Amino acid sequence: MSHLSETLHQSRDQVRSQDLGNQSTHTQLMEVMQRLQQTVEDYITQLKTQHLQPDLGLGEQRHSQAAREQEAILVRLMCQVVNLLQPPSPDSSGHVGGGQQAQSSRQPDQLGHHLSDLQATVVSCDLSTRGSDISALYHSSIQGYKTYQGDKYHEDKNPLGFINLGVSENKLCIDLMTERLSRSDMHYIEDALLQYADWRGQPFLREEVARFLAYYCKAPAPLDPENVVVLNGCCSVFSALAMVLCEPGEAFLTPTPFYGGFAFTSHLYSKVELIHVHLDSEVTDTNTCPFQLSVGKLETTLLEARLKGKHVRGLLLINPQNPLGDVYSEDALKEYLEFAKRYNLHVIIDEMYILSVFDESITFHSVLSMETLPDPQRIHVIWGTSKDFGISGFRFGALYTQNKEVASAVSSFGYLHSISGIAQYKLCRLLQDREWIDKVYLPTNRSRLQAAHKYITNNLKALKIPFLNRGSGLYIWINLKKYLDPCTFEQELLLHHRFLENKLLLARGKSYMCTEPGWFRLIFSEKPLCLKSGMHRFFQTLGEQKQDCTEKQQEDALREQTVCLLPSSSSQSHAGESLASASGP
Amino acid sequence: MSHLSETLHQSRDQVRSQDLGNQSTHTQLMEVMQRLQQTVEDYITQLKTQHLQPDLGLGEQRHSQAAREQEAILVRLMCQVVNLLQPPSPDSSGHVGGGQQAQSSRQPDQLGHHLSDLQATVVSCDLSTRGSDISALYHSSIQGYKTYQGDKYHEDKNPLGFINLGVSENKLCIDLMTERLSRSDMHYIEDALLQYADWRGQPFLREEVARFLAYYCKAPAPLDPENVVVLNGCCSVFSALAMVLCEPGEAFLTPTPFYGGFAFTSHLYSKVELIHVHLDSEVTDTNTCPFQLSVGKLETTLLEARLKGKHVRGLLLINPQNPLGDVYSEDALKEYLEFAKRYNLHVIIDEMYILSVFDESITFHSVLSMETLPDPQRIHVIWGTSKDFGISGFRFGALYTQNKEVASAVSSFGYLHSISGIAQYKLCRLLQDREWIDKVYLPTNRSRLQAAHKYITNNLKALKIPFLNRGSGLYIWINLKKYLDPCTFEQELLLHHRFLENKLLLARGKSYMCTEPGWFRLIFSEKPLCLKSGMHRFFQTLGEQKQDCTEKQQEDALREQTVCLLPSSSSQSHAGESLASASGP
């Protein structure tokens, strides 16, 4: 019996911890294949003889048990072959919101490590493969955030703590919100709030969400509370949608850069692949603004994906877009929806920032505002209060869909994603209080967002840092590629680390599946003092970085001079050019 | 290209609706195997030539693309082989809390139907297969509960509404709880409660949970808050544990009857199989009490499962047991843990009812109380406030595990299962208030549980309905088989429907994977007036049922007389005997 087939009879733990590095992939592959062929041949022989001798009583039982054992061996052998044959993933150190693609379930998980990884990976004794993968991905992505959680900046109590301009939270109106949530109407308790409830969410909250969305999204007709499902956050809604719309390994199209939380979410449970429609920053005749989305790009990516045998079930859009801040025009939105209809795609549209369009010259168009929708049964809207009301700690996300089957299937997931009754009550009261929202909260929030945005953009302009000047969201998409030398994702990561060393969290473009290194998302919806300190650290970091770049360029130039034994300034002037050209678009 | 490999290029819907029944499994297997061998051989040739010609530039690129395509084909072929080899599942029509077994992921979902199923399945246009399955299972299971949610009994406002003695909730101390939760200390709000937090749960709550469990479980040493993960409910904790401990299709052993929520949970996301250790009610020399669990039964089931090629990763226990109410003795518990250690099994132990042991003569032993644990790294405790504090609407569940790796991996799932910050704060305050818990809540709760239990059991005794007289939990496991004629699960379901017609919800034994028809779980932790009305409806339903049984028996007897043309009462006396014998154990 070969070395590898012996391992089949060892426990998984033994296999996992074993060093397979001494054998070449090819030798191992050949051994497994020989055993595979032998097992399959034996099995087929067995099937044949079983067919010829149908009624053997006890003998037959043993026979079928033996067959089952061989099936088990066969399955495991195949898992190994698949593992051995699979090329290493191009981005095995993905991040939450990093470029990871959900693993297809077609690829068996049981020994789901690539061989090359097997040599390097210290594998857990206790965790499943999927558990190890998820845990590794999560913890590698969340390190900066964890450090921040343990040492948060506070203007009085901890002015040297971490400042978080990386996670999209609106902290500008937390004073108003605290006051509103402290009023006596919020403290109401009744039996039903303390007990199990409708897994779709409490009826009173679903009714209020329907009214609220109809009003603020300017729906042409009342929205139906039966079309609302309330879960504990928008990623939970997305997780449930991905489960009920896709088989594992099926896919959604999504334009990049885009919100990385969906990528991490699909990795946790649903194993749905997100196929990226890569947008780029360069402005050309057809690309009239940076990162412009077009039906042509959607179509090309879809057809390429289909050619590769991918089963694309839907299109995932974010409007207002995160991290770009783009607000789709009504015409553009219609085109995307019509494209989806043409190809029988569902559209999941995340409208988390509908009340965070702070530039009054911009009109936001919700899909819920449209008189007619191209394919209303396949359009599913996600909204929540985390961003627009700055209360991400409430864990509230809502689905609105006219598709009863989808709403109904998603509600099954309420079993694992429901919200505290008391939080549902408070949310309902909050959404109900239009007087306060319209006269107090929204105007204040808008003017504070405007002021904070202006403060940051003025600073960015002063430093000649290119950015997308949009009027929505809580973030600015900025281009720091002139601080990267060379302009690679490795350097982007190093700059990200340098920000962290200066106790500043920013989110880097790679986490949004951006294909061009050097982009960062900077949150501006932070209290003024904190924002000011944050910008101080930001400029300090960039100063250090620039100093390093210059020193490096000088060293390179010196080295070149030494090597060539000729005086020349070509290297330096090239570097100068690249810095200059980086200040557009 | 063979028939089956052609189907690879068809859409899923085409594959779904296609009749593959004309080909024998054996022919298909042979075709796929031939193609598999060819592909693997081609692939190996390619690997060899690639190895020999390492630097071919563009040629190499094409080469590696071709290799990747072949790998993709190979993976799909293998998936097909695995599908063809897998025997059809014995129980494909599972219920929430019914006997469904999770599908193995080794069996790819894309062609995830067995051939025989393919012919029969009617598929939704919009939902994925898994979405349809989950939705169907959920809605078939929840119908009675949905009707109850829409028309709840209230002693003043809706005395004719549905009474729910089916869902395990403690409503006896909701007055105390409402008063406690309304006190001013509960209304505190700070920024951190409204923002994203540690996904493991707020540090202050994890600290309090550790202190609370150490105190009430009588831990020999302080418990570490770093070992606590807080999620939105115990089923969420179980879902995360199942993900990180098992590959899809791997299994946990669990003694039945047991809480059906875990079965439904594993069906939603983790696709972990629950292998039932069937306990029975008959008392014998070895089975000294009804539904007795023993290491022998665990071991037999484990070995049988292994023979069938199942990969059993753990043992799932509930203590105090739900629905039986059994409290494991310290010795028994140790034996189960030692059994688990012997077979390298994780133990997930659900201790949801630790403070609901209302019979003061019973001592509850938490695994957290043990001086030494057989395999501490593989013991994972679940606890929450839903039952012990009657606040299931809070959606709070906690994991305690010494295994840092497991705690860490489970915390990744906080991303989709976290609780509102304000609810976390209130929970912390509640658990902190030992004075109130020990002097007000627990004594009152205990005496009310005792009174309600006594009221119900006296009623049951009067009607000579056998039941398990236990001193823990919120439920009584009762035997209504004397009201079933014949004693089948169909009749059990019909009786369940009859209760519903009388606006009474009970939970039937089948939902707990009980193998003997006729058992029901009756919740007694309901307010006195409601309980009284509930029992009235209970007796009324049983009266109707008995009347029907009698009439049916008389008709049968009459028919027999007519057929035989002979006067005889044998049928009647037989039915009488079966009613009498049903009053034990």
Side-chain angles (χ1 to χ4, degrees), chain A residues 517-538:
Chain A
W519 291 90
F520 281 79
R521 192 187 73 169
L522 189 151
I523 302 298
F524 63 84
S525 50
E526 184 49 273
K527 291 175 186 168
L529 266 180
C530 181
L531 202 56
K532 200 176 162 193
S533 298
M535 285 317 278
H536 178 76
R537 295 179 192 180
F538 179 74

Side-chain angles (χ1 to χ4, degrees), chain B residues 275-520:
Chain B
I275 293 175
H276 304 156
V277 181
H278 290 295
L279 309 182
D280 56 72
S281 67
E282 206 183 340
V283 176
T284 61
D285 287 350
T286 52
N287 213 35
T288 55
C289 74
F291 301 104
Q292 190 174 38
L293 178 61
S294 68
V295 167
K297 290 175 194 171
L298 289 171
E299 201 152 25
T300 306
T301 312
L302 175 69
L303 296 178
E304 279 171 7
R306 286 196 174 172
L307 270 179
K308 287 179 195 154
K310 307 273 187 190
H311 196 113
V312 180
R313 293 281 289 160
L315 168 64
L316 174 58
L317 294 175
I318 307 174
N319 185 33
Q321 219 277 354
N322 177 4
L324 301 174
D326 287 332
V327 172
Y328 297 138
S329 74
E330 199 173 5
D331 286 345
L333 197 55
K334 268 188 193 154
E335 279 177 27
Y336 308 147
L337 299 181
E338 272 156 13
F339 155 79
K341 183 182 182 181
R342 215 153 50 239
Y343 288 98
N344 290 320
L345 300 180
H346 288 266
V347 179
I348 296 178
I349 184 151
D350 169 351
E351 297 191 352
M352 281 299 278
Y353 293 91
I354 52 176
L355 300 181
S356 305
V357 182
F358 54 87
D359 179 341
E360 279 146 303
S361 71
I362 296 173
T363 307
F364 167 74
H365 297 279
S366 166
V367 289
L368 298 175
S369 72
M370 293 184 171
E371 283 287 345
T372 53
L373 285 169
D375 193 359
Q377 289 294 309
R378 296 200 174 188
I379 293 174
H380 319 295
V381 183
I382 299 179
W383 179 74
T385 48
S386 295
K387 313 302 179 184
D388 285 341
F389 287 97
I391 47 171
S392 41
F394 259 78
R395 315 306 310 122
F396 162 75
L399 165 70
Y400 191 88
T401 176
Q402 290 184 45
N403 189 316
K404 299 289 179 198
E405 231 179 3
V406 171
S408 178
V410 165
S411 68
S412 321
F413 289 84
Y415 199 74
L416 295 180
H417 297 293
S418 60
I419 322 176
S420 303
I422 46 165
Q424 293 196 50
Y425 184 80
K426 285 176 210 285
L427 285 163
C428 176
R429 291 296 301 165
L430 186 70
L431 300 184
Q432 242 165 16
D433 195 350
R434 296 285 169 73
E435 173 90 7
W436 178 80
I437 294 174
D438 285 337
K439 297 202 173 143
V440 181
Y441 180 77
L442 284 183
T444 316
N445 188 46
R446 191 179 299 117
S447 70
R448 291 185 186 175
L449 283 172
Q450 285 165 350
H453 185 263
K454 194 172 175 188
Y455 170 75
I456 297 288
T457 52
N458 282 345
N459 271 286
L460 293 172
K461 282 173 193 163
L463 220 76
K464 295 201 167 73
I465 293 173
F467 62 91
L468 297 196
N469 199 357
R470 301 293 185 258
S472 82
L474 313 173
Y475 34 75
I476 305 174
W477 189 239
I478 65 175
N479 190 340
L480 299 180
K481 73 177 175 182
K482 70 174 170 179
Y483 296 96
L484 306 186
D485 181 22
C487 184
T488 62
F489 283 114
E490 269 181 7
Q491 290 297 317
E492 181 185 283
L493 183 62
L494 289 175
L495 178 55
H496 181 253
H497 284 161
R498 178 160 250 165
F499 282 124
L500 275 179
E501 281 161 20
N502 283 305
K503 296 202 161 182
L504 178 64
L505 259 81
L506 286 191
R508 65 201 192 93
K510 185 85 164 76
S511 312
Y512 302 87
M513 284 57 80
C514 187
T515 48
E516 300 169 23
W519 290 90
F520 281 78

Side-chain angles (χ1 to χ4, degrees), chain A residues 191-211:
Chain A
D191 292 8
L193 300 181
L194 303 182
Q195 294 166 2
Y196 288 120
D198 190 331
W199 294 115
R200 293 176 295 171
Q202 291 274 9
F204 59 76
L205 179 56
R206 288 187 291 110
E207 279 162 25
E208 200 48 53
V209 168
R211 268 194 294 270

Side-chain angles (χ1 to χ4, degrees), chain A residues 12 85 87 126 128-130 139 169 191 194 196 243-244 246-247 269 387 393-394 408 416-417 527, chain B residues 12 16 71 74 128-130 139 169 194 196 244 246-247 269 313 387 393 403 408 416-417 420 527:
Chain A
R12 187 178 54 168
L85 294 184
D126 291 315
S128 60
T129 308
R130 59 183 179 182
H139 289 285
E169 291 197 283
D191 292 8
L194 303 182
Y196 288 120
M243 288 295 292
V244 309
C246 301
E247 312 303 339
Y269 279 130
K387 313 302 179 183
F394 259 77
S408 179
L416 296 181
H417 297 293
K527 291 175 186 168
Chain B
R12 183 182 60 172
R16 280 183 183 173
E71 282 162 15
L74 191 53
S128 59
T129 309
R130 60 183 178 182
H139 289 285
E169 291 197 280
L194 303 181
Y196 289 120
V244 309
C246 299
E247 312 303 339
Y269 279 131
R313 293 281 289 160
K387 313 302 179 184
N403 189 316
S408 178
L416 295 180
H417 297 293
S420 303
K527 291 175 186 169

Side-chain angles (χ1 to χ4, degrees), chain A residues 443-454:
Chain A
T444 316
N445 188 46
R446 191 179 300 117
S447 70
R448 289 183 186 176
L449 284 172
Q450 284 165 351
H453 184 263
K454 194 171 172 188

Side-chain angles (χ1 to χ4, degrees), chain A residues 12-13 16 26 29-30 33 40 43-44 65 71 74-75 78 81-82 85 87 105-106 109-110 124 126-131 134-135 138-139 142 145 149 167-169 171 174 178 181 187 189 191 193-199 232 235-236 239 242-248 250 259 261 264-265 268-270 272 311 313 346 378 387 390-395 403 405 408-409 411-413 415-423 426 527, chain B residues 12 16 26 30 33 40 43-44 47-48 71 74-75 78-79 81-82 85 105-106 109-110 124-131 134-135 138-139 142 145 149 167-169 171 174 178 181 187 189 191 193-199 232 235-236 239 242-248 250 259 261 264-265 268-270 272 307 311 313 346 378 387 390-395 403 405 408-409 411-413 415-423 426 527:
Chain A
R12 187 178 54 168
D13 299 348
R16 281 185 181 175
H26 184 233
L29 183 61
M30 285 307 295
M33 278 313 300
V40 173
Y43 183 76
I44 290 168
Q65 189 189 318
E71 282 164 17
L74 191 51
V75 170
M78 285 176 173
V81 177
V82 174
L85 294 184
S105 74
R106 287 166 231 158
D109 277 329
Q110 198 181 25
S124 154
D126 291 315
L127 299 186
S128 60
T129 308
R130 59 183 179 182
I134 288 165
S135 194
Y138 173 74
H139 289 285
I142 210 159
Y145 183 67
Q149 283 288 348
V167 176
S168 181
E169 291 197 283
K171 297 175 183 171
I174 211 153
T178 303
L181 291 171
H187 306 325
I189 293 183
D191 292 8
L193 300 181
L194 303 182
Q195 294 166 2
Y196 288 120
D198 190 331
W199 294 115
N232 69 332
C235 281
S236 299
S239 179
M243 288 295 292
V244 309
L245 298 177
C246 301
E247 312 303 339
E250 291 189 341
Y259 172 52
F264 182 63
T265 296
L268 277 172
Y269 279 130
S270 63
V272 161
H311 197 111
R313 294 281 291 160
H346 288 267
R378 296 199 174 188
K387 313 302 179 183
I391 46 170
S392 41
F394 259 77
R395 314 306 311 123
N403 190 315
E405 227 179 5
S408 179
S411 68
S412 323
F413 289 85
Y415 200 75
L416 296 181
H417 297 293
S418 60
I419 322 177
S420 302
I422 46 163
K426 285 176 210 282
K527 291 175 186 168
Chain B
R12 183 182 60 172
R16 280 183 183 173
H26 181 233
M30 283 306 294
M33 278 314 298
V40 172
Y43 184 77
I44 290 169
L47 274 182
K48 277 184 196 162
E71 282 162 15
L74 191 53
V75 170
M78 285 177 171
C79 290
V81 177
V82 176
L85 292 184
S105 77
R106 286 168 230 156
D109 279 330
Q110 197 182 26
S124 154
C125 288
D126 289 317
L127 297 186
S128 59
T129 309
R130 60 183 178 182
I134 288 165
S135 195
Y138 173 73
H139 289 285
I142 208 158
Y145 183 68
Q149 282 288 347
V167 175
S168 179
E169 291 197 280
K171 297 175 183 171
I174 211 154
T178 303
L181 291 171
H187 305 325
I189 293 183
D191 293 9
L193 300 181
L194 303 181
Q195 295 165 1
Y196 289 120
D198 189 329
W199 294 116
N232 68 333
C235 281
S236 299
S239 179
M243 288 294 293
V244 309
L245 296 178
C246 299
E247 312 303 339
E250 290 188 343
Y259 172 51
F264 181 62
T265 297
L268 277 172
Y269 279 131
S270 63
V272 161
L307 270 179
H311 196 113
R313 293 281 289 160
H346 288 266
R378 296 200 174 188
K387 313 302 179 184
I391 47 171
S392 41
F394 259 78
R395 315 306 310 122
N403 189 316
E405 231 179 3
S408 178
S411 68
S412 321
F413 289 84
Y415 199 74
L416 295 180
H417 297 293
S418 60
I419 322 176
S420 303
I422 46 165
K426 285 176 210 285
K527 291 175 186 169

Side-chain angles (χ1 to χ4, degrees), chain A residues 106-378:
Chain A
R106 287 166 231 158
Q107 165 190 345
D109 277 329
Q110 198 181 25
L111 290 164
H113 282 286
H114 305 300
L115 184 73
S116 54
D117 290 350
L118 254 183
Q119 299 164 20
T121 312
V122 179
V123 186
S124 154
C125 290
D126 291 315
L127 299 186
S128 60
T129 308
R130 59 183 179 182
S132 299
D133 289 350
I134 288 165
S135 194
L137 176 63
Y138 173 74
H139 289 285
S140 69
S141 314
I142 210 159
Q143 269 176 342
Y145 183 67
K146 268 161 80 177
T147 321
Y148 156 75
Q149 283 288 348
D151 179 22
K152 279 188 189 177
Y153 170 92
H154 187 281
E155 50 193 58
D156 306 320
K157 294 178 205 157
N158 192 21
L160 295 179
F162 277 80
I163 291 176
N164 184 355
L165 304 181
V167 176
S168 181
E169 291 197 283
N170 185 351
K171 297 175 183 171
L172 289 171
C173 290
I174 211 153
D175 54 339
L176 298 183
M177 191 54 69
T178 303
E179 185 278 322
R180 183 63 193 88
L181 291 171
S182 302
R183 288 192 206 163
S184 60
D185 67 330
M186 288 288 172
H187 306 325
Y188 175 75
I189 293 183
E190 61 169 354
D191 292 8
L193 300 181
L194 303 182
Q195 294 166 2
Y196 288 120
D198 190 331
W199 294 115
R200 293 176 295 171
Q202 291 274 9
F204 59 76
L205 179 56
R206 288 187 291 110
E207 279 162 25
E208 200 48 53
V209 168
R211 268 194 294 270
F212 184 93
L213 289 177
Y215 179 73
Y216 288 101
C217 294
K218 300 184 178 60
L223 298 179
D224 184 354
E226 294 300 301
N227 297 346
V228 176
V229 183
V230 162
L231 301 179
N232 69 332
C234 289
C235 281
S236 299
V237 176
F238 176 69
S239 179
L241 278 173
M243 288 295 292
V244 309
L245 298 177
C246 301
E247 312 303 339
E250 291 189 341
F252 291 130
L253 280 189
T254 189
T256 68
F258 86 106
Y259 172 52
F262 289 142
F264 182 63
T265 296
S266 66
H267 197 82
L268 277 172
Y269 279 130
S270 63
K271 311 295 181 193
V272 161
E273 186 177 348
L274 299 179
I275 293 176
H276 304 156
V277 182
H278 290 296
L279 309 182
D280 57 72
S281 67
E282 206 185 339
V283 176
T284 61
D285 287 350
T286 52
N287 212 37
T288 55
C289 74
F291 299 105
Q292 190 173 37
L293 178 61
S294 69
V295 167
K297 291 174 194 171
L298 289 171
E299 201 152 25
T300 306
T301 312
L302 175 69
L303 297 178
E304 280 172 5
R306 286 195 173 171
L307 271 179
K308 286 180 195 153
K310 306 273 184 190
H311 197 111
V312 180
R313 294 281 291 160
L315 168 64
L316 173 59
L317 294 175
I318 307 173
N319 185 32
Q321 218 276 354
N322 176 6
L324 301 174
D326 288 333
V327 173
Y328 295 136
S329 74
E330 199 174 6
D331 287 345
L333 197 55
K334 269 187 190 154
E335 280 178 27
Y336 308 148
L337 299 181
E338 273 154 13
F339 154 79
K341 184 184 182 179
R342 218 155 46 241
Y343 288 98
N344 291 320
L345 300 180
H346 288 267
V347 179
I348 296 178
I349 184 152
D350 168 351
E351 296 191 351
M352 282 297 280
Y353 293 91
I354 54 177
L355 299 181
S356 305
V357 182
F358 55 86
D359 179 340
E360 278 146 301
S361 70
I362 296 173
T363 308
F364 167 73
H365 298 278
S366 167
V367 289
L368 297 174
S369 72
M370 292 183 175
E371 283 288 344
T372 53
L373 284 170
D375 193 359
Q377 288 295 308
R378 296 199 174 188

